[in-house]
Amino acid sequence: MGVLAVFVSDTPEHHCKVSTGSTRNGTDVELPFRERSSWIGPDSCSRYKVNGNWSETVLLSNETEQCLDGWVYSTERYTATIVSEWDLVCDNAWKVPFSTSSFFVGVLIGSFISGHLSDRFGRKPVFFFTMVLQTVATLIQATSVSWVMFSILNCLRGLGQISNYIVSLVLGSEMLSQSARVSYTFLGHSLGFGIGYALLPLFAYFIRGWRMLLVATAIPGFLFIPTWWLIPESPRWLLQKGRVEEAELVIRNAAKRNRVPVPEVIFRAGECLELMQNKGEEEQTYTYMDLIRTPNMRNITMLGVFIWMSVAMVFYGLSLNTSNLNGNVYLNCFISAAIDIVVYVASWLLVNRVPRPTLLFSTLMFCGIMLLIIRLLPEEMHVMLQVLALVGRMGVSSAYCLIYVFFTELIPTVVRNMGLGITSTAARIGTIICPYVIYIGVYSKMLPYIVFGTISIIAAVVSMLLPDTRNSKLPNLISQAKPIRGSCCCPTERATIKADTTEGCKEMS
């Protein structure tokens, strides 16, 4: 995942490489890093010119020159990173954030295309294909021979990661009942992400080389191979494609494993008429235009794009700030992950007790208020600033996992993957913007918090327009999309929804 860059792309302490002129057994004697760095040069990108040859008595000039012989890197924290391996410092330092950005470019592309592929070819094949893509790309990336190769594979890794994440979310949600669906999203997806994030600094602490760290993070992908024979296709997607027999078989197998009775006939004639395809008819294909074709879908899509972009921008902006706190990088990442785990569990306990829009509003408003309070504190109170930023991040972390549940329930089955793909794409645009918001902190440390806090509050207000989906069935058809608050369906749309509800499928548990 993208957090790997914290360790793989970290820049160790470094200084210009020079020869002391002292040898032992024919080889140059290397002094300890700390001892040498005190007299090599005024900074890590230059060195003092030497009058004469290096000897035990070194005559240094006040003039400086570039690091003509390369750099020496500290190995106290890492044995190697991509920075120390390819000298991505000084004039080449821009390549480090660019390589990280390439991951999010892949995430953006994957968010956009995975939904269409999943809605067309099925949840299961796309899930396993992207899992293989992510695993193989990571293993090949560990053998990178250049920065260019690393960046290209980073893009492919990001494409596979987000596609796999979204498709697995939709696949699980469409096979489970309402209560199990919520638990799956919070405890399976979000909590699983938090546990993986917490394990990452543990792995990185014992594996100090970037290549082996990539290999270690890729190995779990192979554990999913046997699940091909255990994970079924989504019954909802099968019904939408007219494959009724396969959908019934999935439900019967699930009932058998859960030891619950199943009726002899699951789908009677006349049911699911709009989801099932007649064998003699051409298969109906849905496109991204269906996300804006009707007023209800258009409103949900527009609100979703803005909310996801805002939440992702604030979440990743504050996460980046957390990883850059003073102190031990391994401990900082673990604390950040531990906080996320607590927030995910608390959100799971609240999500079925509070209306979805109210919970989303409360978490985003809490985050915004905490960040704006920072503006009232003196800049010298570093500890208090970090505490408030960390507390504010708790709110946006809860909102970040909630929007996956919320919009899965808002978007109909026939365009669900495409809808989540569009909103997730908007979220990636937010992650691309957030580094520039953080950069303005060079001119004012408070300004990024003001921007993030304001955006969080605006998103909180906008979220109250969304309809509540708590204890509701998943919509199957576009005509079943709920209207936003303060609006109503036109008569034709109301009639269509009523007909769909009367003749629609039975809720699948």
Side-chain angles (χ1 to χ4, degrees):
M1 54 184 174
V3 189
L4 268 173
V6 173
F7 304 103
V8 171
S9 304
D10 197 9
T11 302
E13 293 185 55
H14 56 280
H15 60 66
C16 291
K17 180 187 293 184
V18 296
S19 173
T20 63
S22 302
T23 60
R24 180 181 300 166
N25 298 328
T27 59
D28 186 49
V29 175
E30 288 288 337
L31 298 178
F33 179 86
R34 297 290 181 187
E35 183 177 339
R36 295 188 61 182
S37 63
S38 64
W39 49 267
I40 291 299
D43 54 56
S44 58
C45 294
S46 62
R47 68 185 187 185
Y48 292 115
K49 288 185 177 180
V50 181
N51 294 326
N53 296 324
W54 284 93
S55 61
E56 293 184 1
T57 304
V58 180
L59 300 177
L60 298 177
S61 170
N62 290 329
E63 298 180 9
T64 60
E65 61 184 359
Q66 293 182 341
C67 300
L68 303 178
D69 302 317
W71 290 264
V72 176
Y73 299 89
S74 170
T75 57
E76 292 180 8
R77 180 174 293 173
Y78 312 104
T79 57
T81 68
I82 64 169
V83 175
S84 62
E85 182 147 342
W86 295 313
D87 287 334
L88 306 183
V89 293
C90 301
D91 292 340
N92 289 324
W94 63 271
K95 295 182 178 180
V96 179
F98 186 89
S99 65
T100 304
S101 297
S102 67
F103 177 87
F104 288 106
V105 170
V107 169
L108 188 147
I109 297 172
S111 300
F112 187 75
I113 67 174
S114 64
H116 179 73
L117 294 175
S118 177
D119 284 335
R120 183 164 188 177
F121 299 107
R123 305 346 187 183
K124 180 178 177 178
V126 175
F127 169 77
F128 281 95
F129 173 77
T130 53
M131 175 62 72
V132 171
L133 175 63
Q134 178 185 0
T135 303
V136 173
T138 305
L139 288 176
I140 298 177
Q141 189 181 28
T143 66
S144 298
V145 296
S146 67
W147 166 78
V148 174
M149 178 179 176
F150 178 89
S151 298
I152 293 174
L153 290 167
N154 220 23
C155 181
L156 289 177
R157 189 164 62 88
L159 190 154
Q161 187 269 336
I162 192 62
S163 301
N164 185 261
Y165 188 88
I166 294 177
V167 173
S168 62
L169 173 67
V170 173
L171 178 59
S173 298
E174 291 182 346
M175 290 193 297
L176 301 171
S177 63
Q178 193 273 336
S179 59
R181 181 171 65 245
V182 172
S183 298
Y184 166 76
T185 304
F186 279 92
L187 301 184
H189 257 243
S190 298
L191 185 60
F193 177 87
I195 294 175
Y197 187 14
L199 291 175
L200 177 61
L202 180 64
F203 275 73
Y205 181 80
F206 291 103
I207 306 174
R208 300 298 181 100
W210 69 273
R211 294 183 186 273
M212 289 306 300
L213 182 59
L214 284 176
V215 172
T217 56
I219 290 176
F222 292 107
L223 301 179
F224 282 87
I225 294 178
T227 61
W228 171 269
W229 292 274
L230 298 177
I231 299 177
E233 181 58 89
S234 166
R236 292 178 182 273
W237 181 84
L238 291 171
L239 283 174
Q240 190 264 324
K241 294 299 181 181
R243 296 157 62 174
V244 186
E245 295 82 3
E246 295 178 57
E248 286 191 350
L249 181 61
V250 171
I251 296 176
R252 292 185 186 280
N253 288 337
K256 182 178 180 180
R257 291 179 182 177
N258 294 325
R259 298 180 181 178
V260 295
V262 61
E264 183 176 350
V265 178
I266 299 178
F267 303 110
R268 296 188 178 91
E271 291 182 337
C272 308
L273 292 179
E274 296 204 30
L275 281 178
M276 293 165 52
Q277 310 287 339
N278 293 328
K279 294 183 179 180
E281 296 180 358
E282 182 180 359
E283 179 180 328
Q284 182 177 359
T285 301
Y286 292 89
T287 67
Y288 287 101
M289 291 301 298
D290 290 295
L291 295 173
I292 58 174
R293 198 177 303 279
T294 64
N296 290 346
M297 277 306 307
R298 183 163 54 249
N299 291 334
I300 291 174
T301 301
M302 293 174 62
L303 292 177
V305 165
F306 177 77
I307 292 173
W308 279 61
M309 182 184 298
S310 302
V311 171
M313 183 190 303
V314 178
F315 177 80
Y316 279 98
L318 296 181
S319 297
L320 180 61
N321 177 72
T322 301
S323 63
N324 288 331
L325 295 176
N326 294 329
N328 189 290
V329 62
Y330 304 103
L331 184 60
N332 289 341
C333 284
F334 180 79
I335 292 175
S336 177
I339 290 175
D340 282 351
I341 291 174
V342 174
V343 169
Y344 296 148
V345 174
S347 301
W348 170 64
L349 295 175
L350 290 173
V351 70
N352 285 327
R353 294 173 172 81
V354 182
R356 304 281 198 266
T358 303
L359 184 57
L360 185 58
F361 170 84
S362 302
T363 54
L364 288 175
M365 185 63 69
F366 174 78
C367 174
I369 292 175
M370 290 296 103
L371 296 183
L372 292 182
I373 288 178
I374 294 177
R375 177 65 182 86
L376 305 177
L377 299 178
E379 293 188 9
E380 294 76 18
M381 300 180 64
H382 301 292
V383 176
M384 195 62 188
L385 293 178
Q386 293 176 353
V387 169
L388 286 176
L390 202 57
V391 172
R393 186 177 178 277
M394 296 173 63
V396 77
S397 295
S398 176
Y400 194 72
C401 63
L402 177 61
I403 57 178
Y404 280 96
V405 176
F406 201 178
F407 282 87
T408 296
E409 297 172 340
L410 284 172
I411 302 174
T413 300
V414 292
V415 290
R416 180 168 294 121
N417 242 110
M418 284 189 285
L420 289 179
I422 287 293
T423 55
S424 183
T425 300
R428 299 320 128 196
I429 296 175
T431 61
I432 294 173
I433 295 174
C434 78
Y436 297 96
V437 177
I438 295 173
Y439 179 74
I440 63 178
V442 174
Y443 306 99
S444 172
K445 292 184 178 180
M446 298 297 180
L447 200 52
Y449 294 115
I450 295 175
V451 174
F452 289 140
T454 302
I455 292 175
S456 184
I457 290 177
I458 295 175
V461 174
V462 170
S463 66
M464 289 302 293
L465 295 174
L466 293 171
D468 187 20
T469 58
R470 188 174 48 144
N471 300 324
S472 299
K473 295 181 178 180
L474 284 179
N476 290 317
L477 309 173
I478 290 178
S479 57
Q480 294 174 335
K482 292 186 177 183
I484 63 173
R485 297 186 181 186
S487 67
C488 60
C489 301
C490 61
T492 304
E493 196 166 15
R494 282 200 303 267
T496 304
I497 294 176
K498 183 176 180 181
D500 291 336
T501 303
T502 304
E503 300 180 0
C505 298
K506 295 180 177 180
E507 178 69 12
M508 290 176 288
S509 299

